[in-house]
Amino acid sequence: MPHLSRVIAFSIAVFAAGAAFADPPAPPAKPKQIVIISFDSARDISQWQRSRALAARTGAHFTYFVSCVFLLSPETRKEYTAPGKTEGKSNIGFAASKQEVAERLEQINLAASEGHDIGSHGCGHFDGKDWSKADWLSEFGAFRHVLENAYSINGIAAEPKGWRDFARKSVVGFRAPYLSANKALYEALPAAGFLLDASGVSRGPVEPPTVNGITRFSLPQIPEGPSSRRVIAMDYNLYVRHSGGFERPSMAEEFADRTYNAFRAAFDAQYQGKRIPLELGFHFTLMNDGAYWNALERFAGEVCIKADVECISFRDYVSHAREPQDAVQNVGG
């Protein structure tokens, strides 16, 4: 007959093992949900101010893809020559005056000082689908020349200390006008010192791959409207979907609600699921009486303030993603 102490010891061991099986380790915590909000061309001064105010309220950081022609006045427009064009040509015009350029430069400075990301949208908003690598490099060179020398080109006094260093080193992202990319673009981007491109389109949110040193982001197609048809998550595409690209201010509230609902559903799907980054794109144009900006402010006001959500820029996303790689590379010198 087994000794009583052995029976007790065996019973305790069995109970302890059972307890271990009954209380498994907690699952790993989900990563924070990333939302990346960006603006193309970035012309209107009041929209610079409005977007920066939204960021201040919500803790968000945005990416502004600037078109360099808006840093040239009618008098200085010939500083820019697009590939295959004569000097001083642009698809989107130029700044209205030297004063407007000065105000825009002030907004760029303020946004950068607040932690926002200044990216390149090229200069003249031409479709580069047929451009060569040399053409793209010419456009990138024009952008950097105009940005770096914007104060002197336009005769604006009091260039901020460090401006040229900022212009040379801080612009690491690009988005092609019309989202029109080609093979030559991806050959030119690393040669021009860029780290990321945001010209892609995908069916739903996707993790951005890094190819040849360029992290490639894609605006997702998200379900929208009564029939849940997919549309690129950008205000212009919603504008065309809703009103054929024509203003219908009487329906602005309906369009804003549809847009908000589409954004929120796309966010919730990731927030409750795999937490793939969600990208949303905008312009400074108030289409359909500001419906899309109204939806943006409602959406960002709800989600960007969540403790497990980060509304960050493309640059910051790439910087955070590359930190572990940099740490590994630095081990052992």
Side-chain angles (χ1 to χ4, degrees):
M1 184 173 190
H3 193 279
L4 180 60
S5 62
R6 292 180 182 176
V7 173
I8 293 172
F10 177 78
S11 299
I12 293 173
V14 170
F15 176 81
F21 284 119
D23 189 18
K30 281 189 172 184
K32 289 188 175 182
Q33 175 64 49
I34 300 297
V35 178
I36 306 177
I37 297 167
S38 59
F39 304 94
D40 290 5
S41 291
R43 179 172 189 170
D44 191 86
I45 303 301
S46 65
Q47 295 306 100
W48 274 103
Q49 295 167 334
R50 183 175 175 181
S51 62
R52 289 176 43 241
L54 173 62
R57 293 196 303 272
T58 62
H61 283 150
F62 302 137
T63 294
Y64 297 91
F65 290 111
V66 175
S67 296
C68 89
V69 291
F70 297 138
L71 301 179
L72 296 173
S73 69
E75 293 75 26
T76 59
R77 70 184 187 279
K78 290 188 177 181
E79 285 283 335
Y80 168 61
T81 302
K85 308 290 183 182
T86 56
E87 61 184 10
K89 300 293 184 183
S90 166
N91 259 357
I92 50 175
F94 294 86
S97 65
K98 171 182 172 178
Q99 179 60 32
E100 186 190 297
V101 173
E103 292 173 1
R104 188 166 296 108
L105 288 169
E106 179 185 23
Q107 290 300 315
I108 291 173
N109 269 303
L110 288 169
S113 71
E114 292 160 359
H116 298 292
D117 174 22
I118 306 301
S120 171
H121 199 42
C123 286
H125 212 275
F126 293 105
D127 188 339
K129 69 179 185 300
D130 296 322
W131 283 0
S132 65
K133 178 180 177 181
D135 291 333
W136 282 111
L137 289 174
S138 173
E139 184 78 351
F140 297 153
F143 177 92
R144 292 191 185 276
H145 168 74
V146 171
L147 183 65
E148 183 177 343
N149 298 283
Y151 286 88
S152 59
I153 287 172
N154 292 284
I156 300 170
E159 176 179 299
K161 183 180 179 180
W163 172 262
R164 292 171 183 265
D165 194 52
F166 158 78
R168 285 191 294 265
K169 298 178 181 178
S170 296
V171 179
V172 298
F174 177 73
R175 174 174 282 154
Y178 310 108
L179 305 178
S180 187
N182 63 2
K183 180 181 178 182
L185 169 63
Y186 294 107
E187 294 172 351
L189 284 167
F194 287 101
L195 298 179
L196 69 95
D197 172 76
S199 307
V201 175
S202 58
R203 183 178 173 82
V206 295
E207 296 281 359
T210 298
V211 182
N212 295 329
I214 302 296
T215 303
R216 300 188 185 184
F217 293 90
S218 298
L219 283 166
Q221 296 174 318
I222 61 174
E224 187 278 334
S227 60
S228 294
R229 287 191 299 130
R230 290 182 179 268
V231 64
I232 296 174
M234 181 173 253
D235 55 0
Y236 178 76
N237 301 82
L238 288 156
Y239 178 53
V240 173
R241 161 73 61 86
H242 293 161
S243 58
F246 295 96
E247 286 295 314
R248 292 187 182 176
S250 64
M251 299 184 69
E253 186 174 352
E254 176 186 332
F255 296 151
D257 286 343
R258 281 180 56 167
T259 300
Y260 164 80
N261 289 335
F263 289 168
R264 190 62 204 244
F267 170 84
D268 288 343
Q270 294 307 319
Y271 186 69
Q272 297 164 7
K274 296 181 179 179
R275 298 210 168 176
I276 297 171
L278 175 66
E279 300 171 38
L280 304 175
F282 297 86
H283 296 77
F284 275 12
T285 306
L286 294 177
M287 293 167 265
N288 276 328
D289 200 29
Y292 310 105
W293 273 67
N294 293 339
L296 165 64
E297 289 174 326
R298 180 181 173 189
F299 171 80
E302 290 180 358
V303 308
C304 293
I305 62 172
K306 290 179 177 289
D308 53 354
V309 174
E310 286 190 327
C311 292
I312 62 174
S313 68
F314 285 110
R315 181 193 62 202
D316 286 346
Y317 180 91
V318 169
S319 176
H320 295 165
R322 295 187 182 206
E323 281 173 0
Q325 300 175 23
D326 294 341
V328 170
Q329 291 170 0
N330 290 332
V331 171

